[in-house]
């Protein structure tokens, strides 16, 4: 009985907290977007970066795990390395969702696509993917442009991206999500998740120091009940965590999106 009361109080507290946070996001949008009148900075990814990060190539791309190396990529008035964690997380979801071929002929498609990509023929890349039913991950700049078109960047990207727009952005790519704002509910969902389940988690970096901002990352459940974490910390490889508490550290959950 006492446990139920505590759980109810925590749920109510989280609900009030989420309403305040959502209201703050709406105020930021209301103040900034009517005034900005367009974004004067471009969001271009050079050919070298595109090749290095496998953007838009019809062979199996890799998730981005080291955001800190992308300071040269524009994100509105900021840059991806500084405030682009949500576009990166969107990209990583699409990469991980496309990792499993949809049919057995995908190997031929990957080989044809790789050859066409090496020759720089974009049309042949698309043709190879279509003929072999291969999931082609969109180029990173396409994701950035979609995020901007949905007015998700906050203050021109200076304060990152509105985490409550993640479901709409992913849905734009045909990926459904379940939004979770309660930590207890998220813990239960993660405990019951099957291997390969993805969550996109957004949190405050340090609840004691709000000016440290927020961070978003993707986690994937593995067979040993541990989680591969993509861009949780900046490494050249996915890091590992055993549970949500370990992931959040000194931070606090804002919203999680379970990928359906």
């Amino acid at each position: 009985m006492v446990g139920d009361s505590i759980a109810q109080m925590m749920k109510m507290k989280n609900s009030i907290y989420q309403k305040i946070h959502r209201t703050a996001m709406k105020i930021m949008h209301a103040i900034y977007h009517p005034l900005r009148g367009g974004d004067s900075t471009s969001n271009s990814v050079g050919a070298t970066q595109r090749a290095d990060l496998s953007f838009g190539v019809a062979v199996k791309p890799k998730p981005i795990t080291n955001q800190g190396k992308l300071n040269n990529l524009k994100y509105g008035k900021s840059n991806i390395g500084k405030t682009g964690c949500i576009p990166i997380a969107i990209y990583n979801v699409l990469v991980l969702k496309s990792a499993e071929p949809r049919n057995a002929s995908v190997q031929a498609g990957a080989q044809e696509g790789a050859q066409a990509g090496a020759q720089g023929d974009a049309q042949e890349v698309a043709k190879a993917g279509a003929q072999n039913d291969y999931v082609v991950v969109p180029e990173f700049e396409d994701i950035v442009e979609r995020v901007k078109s949905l007015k998700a960047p906050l203050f021109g990207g200076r304060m990152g991206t509105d985490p409550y727009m993640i479901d709409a952005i992913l849905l734009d790519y045909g990926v459904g999500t379940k939004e979770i704002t309660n930590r207890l509910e998220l813990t239960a969902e993660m405990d019951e998740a099957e291997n390969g389940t993805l969550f996109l988690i957004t949190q405050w970096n340090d609840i004691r120091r709000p000016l440290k901002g927020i961070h978003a990352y993707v986690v994937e459940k593995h067979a040993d009940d541990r989680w591969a974490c993509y861009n949780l910390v900046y490494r050249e490889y996915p890091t590992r965590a055993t549970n949500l508490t370990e992931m959040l550290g000194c931070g606090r959950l804002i919203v999680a999106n379970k990928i359906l």
Side-chain angles (χ1 to χ4, degrees), residues 156-170:
R158 295 182 186 91
M159 295 185 67
T161 311
D162 184 351
Y164 298 110
M165 293 292 291
I166 289 172
D167 55 349
I169 298 166
L170 284 170

Side-chain angles (χ1 to χ4, degrees), residues 32-243:
Y32 182 71
H33 288 293
L35 298 177
R36 71 175 189 170
D39 204 331
S40 60
T41 56
S42 63
N43 288 282
S44 60
V45 180
T48 302
Q49 288 81 12
R50 185 179 298 115
D52 289 346
L53 296 172
S54 304
F55 294 148
V57 179
V59 291
K60 183 179 178 180
K62 296 180 180 179
I64 299 171
T65 59
N66 191 345
Q67 177 181 343
K69 294 180 71 175
L70 304 182
N71 289 323
N72 60 321
L73 304 185
K74 296 284 187 181
Y75 186 48
K77 304 295 184 182
S78 183
N79 64 71
I80 293 295
K82 187 176 181 181
T83 61
C85 59
I86 287 181
I88 286 174
I90 298 292
Y91 174 79
N92 284 346
V93 166
L94 298 177
V95 168
L96 294 166
K97 284 283 286 183
S98 69
E100 293 299 322
R102 288 184 290 184
N103 63 42
S105 66
V106 72
Q107 293 301 328
Q111 291 174 0
E112 291 173 28
Q115 184 176 2
Q119 295 170 353
D121 192 331
Q123 288 185 338
E124 287 302 314
V125 170
K127 181 180 176 183
Q131 287 179 343
N132 294 279
D133 199 26
Y134 191 78
V135 179
V136 179
V137 176
E139 294 186 3
F140 187 69
E141 57 262 51
D142 175 70
I143 293 173
V144 172
E145 288 303 317
R146 289 210 193 189
V147 170
K148 287 170 57 183
S149 71
L150 292 169
K151 293 182 168 54
L154 297 170
F155 286 92
R158 295 182 186 91
M159 295 185 67
T161 311
D162 184 351
Y164 298 110
M165 293 292 291
I166 289 172
D167 55 349
I169 298 166
L170 284 170
L171 190 60
D172 216 30
Y173 286 102
V175 177
T177 68
K178 176 183 178 182
E179 188 178 274
I180 304 168
T181 57
N182 181 277
R183 178 169 175 165
L184 294 177
E185 182 184 351
L186 177 58
T187 299
E189 287 275 0
M190 294 177 74
D191 287 344
E192 297 170 4
E194 297 179 355
N195 296 335
T197 301
L198 302 173
F199 289 85
L200 195 166
I201 298 173
T202 309
Q203 66 169 82
W204 290 103
N205 284 317
D206 189 337
I207 193 60
R208 301 165 301 184
R209 300 173 183 174
L211 292 180
K212 280 196 164 187
I214 69 175
H215 186 51
Y217 49 91
V218 176
V219 298
E220 178 183 32
K221 191 165 189 178
H222 282 191
D224 57 359
D225 282 336
R226 297 185 72 190
W227 295 83
C229 306
Y230 300 90
N231 202 44
L232 170 58
V233 293
Y234 302 166
R235 298 285 187 273
E236 300 304 315
Y237 49 84
T239 53
R240 305 269 277 174
T242 56
N243 52 52

